[in-house]
Amino acid sequence: MEILVFLVPLALMLGLAGLAAFLWSLRSGQYDDLDGAAWRAIADDEPPPQDVPAKH
């Protein structure tokens, strides 16, 4: 039972660290554009390859 003296504060600290990371991500705009990342993953942004004359 003495181990609970260490585990309960450790669990509380980890929970607070997770909450702080979540709040930081909210303030930094991580969730502002949820659909844009999905569309950028499937969009074909690369231009078609240009015909480059061969060097002789």
Side-chain angles (χ1 to χ4, degrees):
M1 292 302 274
E2 292 94 22
I3 194 70
L4 290 178
V5 173
F6 298 108
L7 290 180
V8 170
L10 179 66
L12 290 174
M13 287 189 310
L14 289 175
L16 288 175
L19 180 63
F22 176 70
L23 292 175
W24 172 80
S25 68
L26 280 178
R27 290 181 187 222
S28 66
Q30 295 286 322
Y31 301 106
D32 286 348
D33 186 20
L34 295 177
D35 293 333
W39 282 108
R40 281 190 297 272
I42 59 173
D44 188 19
D45 291 338
E46 294 181 20
Q50 300 290 328
D51 289 336
V52 179
K55 294 181 181 179
H56 294 282

